[in-house]
Amino acid sequence: MKEQIDINRLPQHVAIIMDGNGRWAKQHGAERTMGHQHGIQPVRDVSEAAAELGIKYLTLYAFSTENWNRPAEEVNMLMHLLVDTIEKETPTLNKNNIRLLTIGDTDRLPLAVHEKFERCIEQTSANTGLNLVLALSYSSRSEITQAMQDIARMATYGGVRVEDINEDFVSSCLQTKNIPDPDLLIRTSGELRLSNFLLWQMAYTELYFTNICWPDFDKQEFYKAIIDYQHRERRFGKTSEQVTK
Ligand code: FPP
């Protein structure tokens, strides 16, 4: 399937909502936490596939602000899983020239988790291949609200004029300020929602939904999504004739 991908028309940024771990576990007669554990291999596979193809940004929705409301046991387990994985995988990230970044309210993470992420971010900061962005304790509305507060402060005390506040200015106040908008969003497990993920940034993103639960997602499924994306015509509000000229 990989050979069907046009390497000259790759999405620059792919975002993924990794959904269906709980349902996968239920289908296999296991605890929900088992589903999360089986969600690690697809993270490895997709990161490797994206790096090999030459995709520049891959953003994974690993933990939403709303996920804090899950049972404490599941939240704890997810935090341990994140830390263990990041600690174990840092050498592989370096081997594959992958730079780790995070977005979200990471101050809310347990201190040990926060520190390990900071360390991995620092240790991979010189890598120049794929940028792997993990959304942790992330909520798009809260990111936008934070940006509004910053802009109001700049307008009140920082000499920013109302006429200067345009779309680029707003984008530059978001946590994704140095990251291009996603070209493609993949959501697994058959749910057809954005779930408070990169709402501003996904104004023109192509959406791809698959019924496959995240633990069963693999490189072939990732290639399938890229091929589907390459058959889309991205018009950004223009006519078909305008964009194909
Ligand atoms: C959604 O499935 C999945 C999550 C809330 C967690 C995803 C996190 C991982 C796969 C670990 C990622 C690790 C790294 C290092 C990036 P769900 O539990 O909502 O499934 P359900 O909808 O079937 O209940």
Side-chain angles (χ1 to χ4, degrees), residues 14 23 25 31 81 88 103 114 149 163 174 188 213 229:
V14 179
R23 273 162 288 160
E31 297 286 321
L81 192 63
K88 268 196 218 123
I103 53 171
H114 187 85
Q149 291 178 352
E163 317 72 272
L174 297 172
T188 57
C213 285
Y229 163 85

Side-chain angles (χ1 to χ4, degrees), residues 18-24 32 36 39-40 43 60-62 67 70 74 78 81-82 85-86 134 214:
M18 309 178 289
D19 198 10
N21 293 351
R23 273 162 288 160
W24 184 92
R32 294 180 56 77
H36 297 314
I40 297 298
V43 171
L60 303 178
Y61 206 0
N67 287 154
R70 292 197 173 191
E74 185 172 341
L78 270 169
L81 192 63
L82 285 165
T85 309
I86 225 61
L134 295 187
W214 179 249

Side-chain angles (χ1 to χ4, degrees), residues 10-151:
L10 285 173
Q12 199 185 2
H13 182 177
V14 179
I16 306 186
I17 302 179
M18 309 178 289
D19 198 10
N21 293 351
R23 273 162 288 160
W24 184 92
K26 204 168 173 195
Q27 286 157 18
H28 290 76
E31 297 286 321
R32 294 180 56 77
T33 50
M34 185 63 93
H36 297 314
Q37 276 162 8
H38 281 264
I40 297 298
Q41 189 55 42
V43 171
R44 282 198 204 100
D45 289 349
V46 168
S47 307
E48 196 178 273
E52 282 168 359
L53 284 171
I55 290 170
K56 286 310 287 181
Y57 294 87
L58 176 69
T59 300
L60 303 178
Y61 206 0
F63 194 84
S64 72
T65 306
E66 291 75 19
N67 287 154
W68 288 115
N69 299 322
R70 292 197 173 191
E73 193 193 331
E74 185 172 341
V75 172
N76 282 339
M77 182 272 164
L78 270 169
M79 290 297 140
H80 277 110
L81 192 63
L82 285 165
V83 164
D84 286 355
T85 309
I86 225 61
E87 210 162 35
K88 268 196 218 123
E89 299 294 329
T90 302
T92 317
L93 294 178
N94 280 327
K95 196 179 102 212
N96 291 315
N97 197 20
I98 300 175
R99 178 166 76 132
L100 184 82
L101 300 167
T102 57
I103 53 171
D105 187 4
T106 49
D107 287 346
R108 259 187 97 176
L109 297 171
L111 190 62
V113 179
H114 187 85
E115 283 175 358
K116 295 231 163 86
F117 273 101
E118 287 302 310
R119 202 169 313 145
C120 180
I121 288 169
E122 208 234 294
Q123 287 173 352
T124 61
S125 62
N127 294 338
T128 55
L130 173 72
N131 292 282
L132 175 61
V133 186
L134 295 187
L136 295 165
S137 189
Y138 178 82
S139 141
S140 186
R141 285 187 171 183
S142 132
E143 179 191 30
I144 293 169
T145 306
Q146 187 70 52
M148 297 297 161
Q149 291 178 352
D150 290 345
I151 292 170

Side-chain angles (χ1 to χ4, degrees), residues 205-217:
T205 299
E206 296 294 329
L207 309 179
Y208 177 89
F209 299 102
T210 167
N211 287 330
I212 295 202
C213 285
W214 179 249
D216 287 331
F217 199 82

